[in-house]
Amino acid sequence: MKVSHTPAAVSAAFDDSNLIAHAGLVPVMRLAERCGLSRLVAEKVKLTGAANGAGAAADAKVTSIVAGMAAGADSIDDLNVLRHGAMPAVFAAVRAPSTLGTFLRVFTHGHALQLHAVHRKFLSELATHTPLLPGADEMAFIDVDSTHKRVYGRIKQGAEYGRFKGIRTLHPLLATICTPGSRPVIAGVRMRRGKAADPRGAPKFVSEALATAAEAGCTGTRILRADSQFYNSGVIAACRRAGARFSITTGMNPSIKRAVLAIPDQAWQQITYPTAVPDPETGELISGAEVAERPAYTAFASRKKSERVTARLIVRRVRDLAKPAVVGEQGELFPVWRYHPFFTDNPAPTLKAEREHRHHAVVEQVIADSKASALAHLPSGHFNANAAWLTLWAMTYNVLRATGALTSAFHAKATTATLRNHLIHVPARIARSARRITLHLPRNWPWQHAWTNLFDTVHGPAG
């Protein structure tokens, strides 16, 4: 492909007031409106006492931030992407970035909890109005994980040196919900200081995530999956109180090690992966392993009797390729294994339970998505403003997932970057006639039918 005209024959002018760059925001924000986002914010977020009216019209400000994030904004200044061309013809009450920044900075911890309540109810409404979590009435997985987001400003509240030497971070905690046939959505998020321990606040957070999953229609079996940082009696007790099951990596403490080494050789079953997976410690690609289990392992035996838990200990072992097993010209004397145990009350057969536990890695896709979009930056020096920004990103992520679920089978599992490229970043020209607005979009747009299906669905009669 090459430019069809000489440089002298081409000019450009930003002068058309009937164009918008992100026509896909029209059906996306219509969906958010139908699921009650503005109403929920008006009911639950009360920024009383804010100076200079910063807390006024919270619903308009929240929806402006969500729309900007859906369009790809990753900083407060980027929210100015909403103020161009004919956007005022299709959206009302779009707020300026300076106004939105002031709004975020008046948040306190209590106000952030109000926004969490909006997020929780909004997810429930999205799940009710769209096929967001197919099969949730039979099986759902709740994945809990934490991540670190590097920050550079020395005056950012809560930014501290933690796990990574010499790197200042904030330490978000998140929970996702998925089913065997869906991509994950976000059940809850919490912003924490950079040096906060991974399991800090985890039992309460897990309880809230499981309750949110139930409200979102997960009425069948719920299984909480987590890494070894969350292997503690409080997290498991929270699962049991909520009537959910658990599947948690344990690590190799002395008690676990004794239990693993006591497994007889004949108990190990071969498992082959359809595609090679990286070893979590060495990075070496492996395509096979062996799995066995201890059907009745008692965890937390040193604690009081009411806190002890007896369940299955399932172990996957792989050959330790980091330690050569050949000595001189002699063959292999004995195999060297690396063990990956997890503790679970999942009733599935051993190999299926192990496969479902490994699928916990799907939460990393959500974390990667966050750092490639709105969490590329934590834009404020105020801790609670960043906490609010995190929750608003979670709401944006969920409405984009619901958008994909309404659009097509492909878009139901596409990444949010793909959803933006296919459905949101579509230019349109506005035409007005008889108090009606028509969006004229590019002819032969590759995803025209998917876009039209989405538009017709959200503008049709409410279900």
Side-chain angles (χ1 to χ4, degrees):
M1 186 172 70
K2 63 180 182 179
V3 179
S4 60
H5 294 75
T6 64
V10 179
S11 62
F14 289 89
D15 60 359
D16 197 323
S17 60
N18 290 316
L19 294 179
I20 59 175
H22 308 301
L25 287 178
V26 176
V28 169
M29 296 312 294
R30 175 69 70 182
L31 175 60
E33 181 180 313
R34 291 180 68 160
C35 292
L37 179 57
S38 295
R39 172 180 54 82
L40 291 169
V41 174
E43 290 175 357
K44 298 181 180 296
V45 179
K46 307 295 183 183
L47 300 178
T48 55
N52 301 321
D59 53 340
K61 294 170 183 175
V62 164
T63 52
S64 292
I65 296 173
V66 168
M69 288 181 173
D74 62 15
S75 67
I76 293 174
D77 285 346
D78 279 357
L79 297 173
N80 209 30
V81 71
L82 302 177
R83 293 158 59 85
H84 70 270
M87 290 292 280
V90 290
F91 294 106
V94 177
R95 296 301 194 257
S98 58
T99 301
L100 299 176
T102 302
F103 169 69
L104 291 172
R105 287 190 291 272
V106 302
F107 268 76
T108 65
H109 176 65
H111 297 140
L113 293 180
Q114 294 173 0
L115 201 59
H116 292 158
V118 173
H119 166 264
R120 181 170 169 173
K121 183 61 178 175
F122 185 50
L123 175 59
S124 174
E125 293 292 330
L126 288 172
T128 299
H129 289 85
T130 69
L132 188 60
L133 293 167
D137 56 340
E138 297 179 3
M139 173 75 75
F141 299 99
I142 295 85
D143 295 294
V144 177
D145 204 354
S146 64
T147 184
H148 285 264
K149 177 60 189 150
R150 185 174 187 178
V151 297
Y152 297 90
R154 293 186 175 274
I155 61 171
K156 278 189 184 287
Q157 294 177 350
E160 298 168 334
Y161 298 111
R163 176 183 298 177
F164 304 102
K165 185 177 181 180
I167 297 177
R168 294 161 56 86
T169 67
L170 288 169
H171 191 180
L173 180 66
L174 72 159
T176 65
I177 308 170
C178 69
T179 66
S182 74
R183 284 183 67 92
V185 296
I186 299 174
V189 288
R190 291 293 185 275
M191 183 66 75
R192 301 181 301 174
R193 298 187 307 160
K195 67 179 182 181
D198 284 319
R200 180 181 178 186
K204 181 179 179 181
F205 185 70
V206 164
S207 295
E208 293 179 4
L210 292 170
T212 301
E215 293 172 2
C218 300
T219 56
T221 301
R222 291 171 295 157
I223 300 178
L224 179 95
R225 301 183 297 198
D227 291 333
S228 57
Q229 302 98 310
F230 302 96
Y231 175 61
N232 62 66
S233 59
V235 168
I236 293 176
C239 293
R240 297 240 160 132
R241 285 194 301 269
R245 299 185 180 274
F246 57 87
S247 183
I248 304 176
T249 302
T250 65
M252 287 291 284
N253 62 41
S255 175
I256 297 288
K257 187 174 182 179
R258 288 192 299 270
V260 169
L261 296 179
I263 297 175
D265 289 339
Q266 62 271 22
W268 295 95
Q269 305 176 60
Q270 186 72 28
I271 184 172
T272 302
Y273 305 119
T275 57
V277 298
D279 185 283
E281 295 187 21
T282 67
E284 191 79 30
L285 290 176
I286 55 176
S287 58
E290 294 182 354
V291 177
E293 74 165 281
R294 289 288 300 272
Y297 172 77
T298 300
F300 321 117
S302 62
R303 304 180 70 91
K304 59 185 180 181
K305 190 173 182 179
S306 62
E307 295 180 356
R308 299 172 191 170
V309 181
T310 299
R312 306 166 72 186
L313 182 69
I314 299 179
V315 187
R316 174 171 59 93
R317 70 179 186 180
V318 296
R319 297 293 292 271
D320 193 343
L321 300 179
K323 299 176 182 178
V326 176
V327 180
E329 297 181 356
Q330 192 174 26
E332 184 178 53
L333 295 177
F334 54 88
V336 180
W337 300 95
R338 299 180 64 245
Y339 298 94
H340 307 281
F342 65 96
F343 190 52
T344 183
D345 61 354
N346 185 348
T350 304
L351 296 185
K352 183 179 179 182
E354 195 277 336
R355 184 168 60 252
E356 289 177 345
H357 179 78
R358 272 190 291 112
H359 192 250
H360 167 67
V362 72
V363 71
E364 298 295 341
Q365 296 177 1
V366 180
I367 293 172
D369 183 283
S370 73
K371 295 180 179 179
S373 54
L375 293 197
H377 306 95
L378 290 169
S380 179
H382 294 252
F383 181 85
N384 289 313
N386 287 327
W389 182 267
L390 176 68
T391 306
L392 290 165
W393 161 74
M395 288 192 280
T396 305
Y397 179 92
N398 287 346
V399 76
L400 288 177
R401 291 259 52 88
T403 298
L406 283 179
T407 302
S408 69
F410 169 80
H411 291 97
K413 293 191 176 183
T415 65
T416 54
T418 299
L419 295 177
R420 288 191 185 97
N421 290 333
H422 290 190
L423 304 176
I424 295 178
H425 296 166
V426 189
R429 178 173 58 83
I430 302 296
R432 301 174 180 84
S433 176
R435 297 185 180 180
R436 294 177 61 87
I437 289 179
T438 302
L439 301 178
H440 292 275
L441 295 99
R443 178 177 294 177
N444 295 328
W445 183 255
W447 305 281
Q448 170 185 338
H449 298 297
W451 197 97
T452 303
N453 180 59
L454 169 66
F455 184 87
D456 291 345
T457 301
V458 299
H459 283 81

